[in-house]
């Protein structure tokens, strides 16, 4: 579940709590420092990313940028010449000219050039849009792969931190179009600059008009400043409101989540979630709206000033035609140049602002990719785990607290598991049983103390190698939208799967019986996410499948963390017996609520508030008349009284 961050629920009484606002929004000196420092390195990061996706993208885009920069200027020059030639022809007209003369004239030749240029531009435009879309898809794939590959290695602990989720959410969201958008914007800067410089040169040839170019550029500067400041504000706002967006996503996904739709209906929760969504959105939207409106008001004012200036300049150029200092074609060229300079400068500014903003968002991706992994072997040459043998596991003064929390969930645990032992972990909910399993399997590292496998610290082993000795079924085991066969084979996907092995594992888990009755047997697709004929299993059927997966894994240490709660007591006992029979001399660890399974264990460990309070066999602990005795007797009594499985101690 995502962090809620709200007080007690209650429809209509929900108050929005705002976090303290960051102070540095739009801070100009810091922004300049940032621009010089971070900006270029981020831009470089994107170029590297695209280069990795395919160097051709950069080549094609450079060519297009060059063409697009020169193309409008060439177009303007051709148009100018056509107009001037026409004006000359018009003035020189004697009345004797025939069509053949026109076909041989410069005007006709220029018209041909004009259209060749148009056609070429359109073709290049198409190539550009095709290349952008194709490369866009490729870059998205590249970034998604990077994110998945990175996630694959990350510590489980990272997932417990809201800050990490924020990064992941941001990186995932930005993975889409940002990089290619930034790239094409960068190339558009190149082409716009080429055009801009060319038009400035053209305007410089106009008699006495060169300074107008400077003024046009000058009045665009305030616009630049506004753009940059607001992009930064926008970015800070998005980051500042990241929790809101996560909350909104959480509410939407909760209301639309198939797994909890039953509860949402029965408890009539949908409106509560919708109300909460609305409340968060209201605040999120209010700030955003204000930003958008103020930025654009500034731009309207600046545009008005710029339009007025241009109007004056146009009149000046027209006056020169009026006084015969320049020709009509020149009027079209110079006014065109002025307009183009204005639009180019504004494109340049807006695009730079887009790039700048984009690179800030890319920061999310960069910082996600830099998330450090701590669950790694601490030796340069990690130890190899012996496979197919019996292992010894020792906890030595192990304490643990979850990252970002203040409380020790496990305190000074000392425990030895000898080869072939069966251990049952007993304790109330929240006692720390699952956490102990997570440490044992090195999903987390202890905060204090050490855990030894065959005499060596877990941290000395290669992590993947270490994981491969454990066959584990968690309380919240995975349900995969794959076929039954694959769901079992995931227990060890690296070995070559043979149908008989899969069937054997299923038989051992008492799953073969129901699987054989499924429409497509072992090839039945599960879950109705992708396939029309996808099948939903019952809770108990899923659990049997998970058990089959653990059997299939054929690992040295089998761990069952209450995976049997959806099974009836008979089925559960059967699975435990099966485990006991099949485990040979393997180490087995059970976490169970039903203490009947503990009676056969070679070691029972009772946890309370993160500490081991009792340890021994069923016999020994019953004689101690302690916590275990109390739990066991309560359960036995309930069974006898007929309450059966209603019992769930520790709730
Ligand atoms: P058990 O398996 O005995 O029911 P757990 O090991 O799951 O207990 O949990 C022990 C304690 O650790 C609980 O108080 C629980 O709230 C806390 N806890 C479990 N997982 C996390 C986590 N990811 N982050 C912070 N606290 C956690």
């Amino acid at each position: 579940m995502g962090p809620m961050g709200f007080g007690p629920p209650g429809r209509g009484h929900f108050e929005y709590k705002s976090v303290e606002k960051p102070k540095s929004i739009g801070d100009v000196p810091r922004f300049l420092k940032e621009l010089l420092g971070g900006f270029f390195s981020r831009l470089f990061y994107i170029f590297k990313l695209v280069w990795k996706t395919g160097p051709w993208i950069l080549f094609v885009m450079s060519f297009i940028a060059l063409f697009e920069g020169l193309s409008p200027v060439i177009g303007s020059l051709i148009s100018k010449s056509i107009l001037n030639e026409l004006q000359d022809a018009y003035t020189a007209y004697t009345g004797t000219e025939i069509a053949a003369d026109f076909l041989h004239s410069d005007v006709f030749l220029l018209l041909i050039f004009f259209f060749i240029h148009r056609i070429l531009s359109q073709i290049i435009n198409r190539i550009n849009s095709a290349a952008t879309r194709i490369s866009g898809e490729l870059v998205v794939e590249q970034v998604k792969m990077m994110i998945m590959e990175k996630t694959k290695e990350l510590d489980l602990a990272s997932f417990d931190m809201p800050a990490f989720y924020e990064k992941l959410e941001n990186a995932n969201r930005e993975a889409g179009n940002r990089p290619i958008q930034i790239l094409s914007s960068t190339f558009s800067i190149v082409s716009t600059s080429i055009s801009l410089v060319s038009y400035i040169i053209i305007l410089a040839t106009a008699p006495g008009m060169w300074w107008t170019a400077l003024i046009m550029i000058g009045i665009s500067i305030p616009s630049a400043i506004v753009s940059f400041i607001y992009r930064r504000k926008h970015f800070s706002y998005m980051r500042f409101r990241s929790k809101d967006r996560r909350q909104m996503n959480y509410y939407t996904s909760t209301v639309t989540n198939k797994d909890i739709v039953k509860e949402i209906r029965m408890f009539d929760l949908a409106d509560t979630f919708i109300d909460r969504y609305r409340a968060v959105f209201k605040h999120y939207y209010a700030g955003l709206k204000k930003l958008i409106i103020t930025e654009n008001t500034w731009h309207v004012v600046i545009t008005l000033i710029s339009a007025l200036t241009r109007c004056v300049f146009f009149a000046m150029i027209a006056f020169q035609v009026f006084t015969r200092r320049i020709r009509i074609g020149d009027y079209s060229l110079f006014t065109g140049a002025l307009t183009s300079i204005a639009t180019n400068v504004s494109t340049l500014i807006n695009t730079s602002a887009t790039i700048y903003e984009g690179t800030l968002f890319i920061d999310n991706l960069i910082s996600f990719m830099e998330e450090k992994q701590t669950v790694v072997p601490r030796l340069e040459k990690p130890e190899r785990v012996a496979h197919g043998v019996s292992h010894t596991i020792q906890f030595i003064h192990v304490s643990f607290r979850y990252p970002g929390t203040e409380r020790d969930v496990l305190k000074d645990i000392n425990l030895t598991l000898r080869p072939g032992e069966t251990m049952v972990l007993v304790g109330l909910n929240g006692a720390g049983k699952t956490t102990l399993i997570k440490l044992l399997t090195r999903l987390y590292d202890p905060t204090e103390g050490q855990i030894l496998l065959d005499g060596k610290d877990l941290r000395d082993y290669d992590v993947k190698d270490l994981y491969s000795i454990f066959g584990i079924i968690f309380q919240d085991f995975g349900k995969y939208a794959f076929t039954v066969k694959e769901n079992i084979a995931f227990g060890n996907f690296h070995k070559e799967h043979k149908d008989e092995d899969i069937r054997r594992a299923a038989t051992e888990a008492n799953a073969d019986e129901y699987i054989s009755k499924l429409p497509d047997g072992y090839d039945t697709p599960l879950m109705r996410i992708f396939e029309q004929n996808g099948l939903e299993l019952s809770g108990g059927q899923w659990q049997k499948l998970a058990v089959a997966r653990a059997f299939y894994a054929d690992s040295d240490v089998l761990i069952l963390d209450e995976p049997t709660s959806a099974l009836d007591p008979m089925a559960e006992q059967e699975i435990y017996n099966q485990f006991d029979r099949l485990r040979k001399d393997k180490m087995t660890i059970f976490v169970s609520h039903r203490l009947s399974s503990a009676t056969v264990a070679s070691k029972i460990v009772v946890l309370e508030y993160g500490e081991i309070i009792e340890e021994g066999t069923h016999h020994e602990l019953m004689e101690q008349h302690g916590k275990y005795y109390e739990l066991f007797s309560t359960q036995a009594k309930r069974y006898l009284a007929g309450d059966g499985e209603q019992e769930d101690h520790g709730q």
Side-chain angles (χ1 to χ4, degrees):
M1 269 209 195
M4 300 271 292
F6 294 128
R11 201 180 302 167
H13 300 295
F14 165 59
E15 280 214 10
Y16 181 85
K17 281 193 200 124
S18 186
V19 215
E20 200 192 329
K21 239 186 157 109
K23 294 191 189 78
S24 61
I25 290 181
D27 175 347
V28 175
R30 208 183 92 174
F31 147 75
L32 280 178
K33 217 169 101 191
E34 249 262 349
L35 181 70
L36 296 176
F39 174 72
F40 288 106
S41 74
R42 287 192 288 256
L43 202 58
F44 183 61
Y45 186 89
I46 293 163
F47 271 79
K48 265 198 328 210
L49 189 85
V50 176
W51 179 264
K52 234 168 53 188
T53 311
W56 67 268
I57 302 175
L58 293 179
F59 290 124
V60 170
M61 286 194 155
S62 314
F63 167 74
I64 291 171
L66 189 69
F67 181 85
E68 294 205 323
L70 290 175
S71 169
V73 184
I74 294 171
S76 304
L77 287 172
I78 298 177
S79 294
K80 171 206 111 168
S81 302
I82 292 175
L83 280 174
N84 281 348
E85 288 295 327
L86 277 176
Q87 192 192 6
D88 287 349
Y90 182 85
T91 334
Y93 183 66
T94 57
T96 57
E97 283 80 358
I98 50 170
D101 291 333
F102 174 68
L103 293 180
H104 287 107
S105 71
D106 288 347
V107 175
F108 187 68
L109 192 67
L110 282 166
L111 276 174
I112 292 175
F113 279 146
F114 182 78
F115 280 100
I116 290 177
H117 171 253
R118 292 303 290 234
I119 291 167
L120 257 179
S121 301
Q122 274 159 6
I123 292 174
I124 302 270
N125 243 327
R126 284 287 128 209
I127 294 177
N128 187 14
S129 96
T132 310
R133 279 172 59 187
I134 291 174
S135 52
E137 293 289 338
L138 292 176
V139 173
V140 171
E141 195 240 14
Q142 168 84 16
V143 178
K144 291 269 175 195
M145 290 308 271
M146 273 165 60
I147 292 180
M148 287 196 282
E149 289 289 337
K150 178 75 191 172
T151 316
K152 191 174 90 181
E153 302 170 348
L154 280 172
D155 291 350
L156 224 62
S158 302
F159 289 85
D160 293 330
M161 310 291 273
F164 167 80
Y165 263 121
E166 195 172 317
K167 276 188 205 169
L168 185 60
E169 181 225 32
N170 288 335
N172 235 334
R173 193 192 43 220
E174 300 304 329
N177 304 319
R178 279 292 174 189
I180 208 72
Q181 181 201 358
I182 293 169
L183 192 79
S184 57
S185 301
T186 311
F187 279 111
S188 121
I189 294 258
V190 174
S191 58
T192 313
S193 308
I194 295 176
S195 299
L196 182 64
V197 171
S198 315
Y199 280 120
I200 292 174
I201 294 172
I202 286 173
L203 207 59
T205 65
M209 292 295 285
W210 61 268
W211 52 273
T212 53
L214 293 187
I215 292 191
M216 289 311 291
I217 295 170
I219 51 177
S220 305
I221 288 173
S223 172
I225 294 173
V226 170
S227 284
F228 270 92
I229 288 180
Y230 276 88
R231 291 309 159 114
R232 193 174 169 83
K233 283 191 178 197
H234 181 239
F235 172 76
S236 305
Y237 188 78
M238 284 313 211
R239 181 171 264 189
F240 166 60
R241 290 283 182 214
S242 163
K243 183 175 153 213
D244 293 359
R245 284 197 321 247
R246 274 182 297 137
Q247 277 174 335
M248 289 194 283
N249 282 341
Y250 175 69
Y251 298 138
T252 321
S253 61
T254 310
V255 173
T256 54
N257 184 337
K258 185 168 154 218
D259 290 336
I260 46 178
V261 67
K262 298 191 287 299
E263 260 191 45
I264 301 270
R265 280 295 150 80
M266 297 308 293
F267 294 140
D268 193 17
L269 289 174
D271 286 333
T272 311
F273 287 152
I274 293 170
D275 284 349
R276 288 195 171 199
Y277 180 95
R278 223 179 257 135
V280 178
F281 178 77
K282 217 172 103 197
H283 279 259
Y284 167 75
Y285 167 75
L288 199 62
K289 191 172 93 180
K290 200 172 133 213
L291 270 183
I292 295 173
I293 291 179
T294 41
E295 176 181 0
N296 285 292
T297 312
W298 276 112
H299 281 306
V300 167
V301 173
I302 294 166
T303 312
L304 278 178
I305 297 172
S306 153
L308 277 176
T309 320
R310 214 168 341 139
C311 180
V312 172
F313 291 165
F314 272 41
M316 286 165 64
I317 297 171
F319 182 72
Q320 295 204 357
V321 182
F322 214 69
T323 53
R324 284 185 165 240
R325 267 178 284 176
I326 57 172
R327 296 191 290 172
I328 292 177
D330 300 321
Y331 172 83
S332 126
L333 182 67
F334 296 144
T335 52
L338 266 179
T339 311
S340 300
I341 288 173
T343 47
N344 280 344
V345 171
S346 103
T347 309
L348 220 51
I349 291 162
N350 279 318
T351 318
S352 317
T354 309
I355 297 176
Y356 175 65
E357 186 190 15
T359 59
L360 290 178
F361 279 106
I362 281 298
D363 228 14
N364 290 317
L365 178 67
I366 298 175
S367 83
F368 169 76
M369 293 306 291
E370 280 168 0
E371 179 84 7
K372 287 274 178 300
Q373 200 187 353
T374 57
V375 177
V376 286
R378 53 181 191 182
L379 300 180
E380 210 162 286
K381 271 200 163 164
E383 303 277 350
R384 302 294 297 180
V385 185
H387 287 261
V389 298
S390 301
H391 300 278
T392 308
I393 293 171
Q394 274 172 291
F395 279 63
I396 303 171
H397 298 298
V398 171
S399 294
F400 179 74
R401 65 176 59 176
Y402 281 97
T405 65
E406 299 287 305
R407 191 172 56 91
D408 278 350
V409 172
L410 290 176
K411 286 167 232 156
D412 196 27
I413 301 286
N414 289 292
L415 183 67
T416 305
L417 285 167
R418 298 197 175 75
E421 263 195 311
T422 322
M423 175 176 85
V424 174
L425 272 174
V426 175
L428 302 184
N429 285 337
K433 304 182 293 293
T434 302
T435 309
L436 193 138
I437 302 289
K438 287 190 207 159
L439 292 187
L440 168 68
T441 49
R442 207 184 171 203
L443 288 172
Y444 292 80
D445 281 329
T447 328
E448 272 169 57
Q450 56 174 172
I451 302 169
L452 308 182
L453 172 77
D454 302 330
K456 295 200 185 85
D457 196 301
L458 286 187
R459 288 169 285 201
D460 293 343
Y461 292 104
D462 176 73
V463 181
K464 269 199 177 161
D465 191 29
L466 177 71
Y467 286 170
S468 70
I469 66 161
F470 298 112
I472 182 160
I473 316 171
F474 284 108
Q475 257 163 314
D476 47 358
F477 56 83
K479 299 173 181 173
Y480 303 100
F482 284 81
T483 61
V484 172
K485 195 192 273 178
E486 285 163 318
N487 262 282
I488 297 175
F490 283 160
N492 185 353
F493 219 60
H494 298 296
K495 79 173 176 194
E496 188 197 343
H497 14 280
K498 296 195 190 112
D499 284 355
E500 63 260 33
D501 288 345
I502 291 174
R503 191 177 288 270
R504 178 187 47 78
T507 311
E508 286 165 3
N510 292 333
D512 181 60
E513 199 185 320
Y514 84 80
I515 295 172
S516 318
K517 293 198 187 108
L518 296 179
D520 293 307
Y522 283 82
D523 291 314
T524 310
L526 295 180
M527 307 184 83
R528 305 197 61 172
I529 302 180
F530 308 117
E531 309 291 342
Q532 260 308 320
N533 62 341
L535 204 80
E536 289 294 349
L537 297 180
S538 76
Q541 287 172 326
W542 271 116
Q543 287 200 323
K544 287 182 178 171
L545 209 58
V547 174
R549 182 151 66 227
F551 280 139
Y552 182 78
D554 207 16
S555 35
D556 297 347
V557 182
L558 284 169
I559 304 172
L560 273 84
D561 181 6
E562 292 188 70
T564 48
S565 55
L567 299 182
D568 49 71
M570 300 273 279
E572 175 173 352
Q573 198 58 49
E574 222 170 297
I575 297 241
Y576 280 124
N577 294 344
Q578 199 76 292
F579 249 90
D580 220 38
R581 206 164 51 76
L582 292 166
R583 69 186 191 87
K584 299 184 192 103
D585 53 356
K586 287 177 184 168
M587 181 179 288
T588 324
I589 300 169
F590 296 132
V591 175
S592 180
H593 265 168
R594 296 194 181 101
L595 299 182
S596 49
S597 60
T599 48
V600 291
S602 61
K603 188 192 291 272
I604 297 167
V605 171
V606 185
L607 273 179
E608 190 171 69
Y609 301 120
E611 283 174 286
I612 296 182
I613 52 164
E614 284 168 33
E615 192 181 331
T617 61
H618 174 72
H619 239 72
E620 290 163 1
L621 295 187
M622 285 308 274
E623 277 180 8
Q624 270 186 29
H625 278 248
K627 188 80 187 176
Y628 179 79
Y629 172 83
E630 189 189 316
L631 290 173
F632 193 86
S633 318
T634 321
Q635 250 183 37
K637 247 186 261 156
R638 290 225 188 159
Y639 274 119
L640 290 175
D643 280 359
E645 284 310 297
Q646 299 298 313
E647 177 277 336
D648 186 11
H649 57 265
Q651 289 296 332

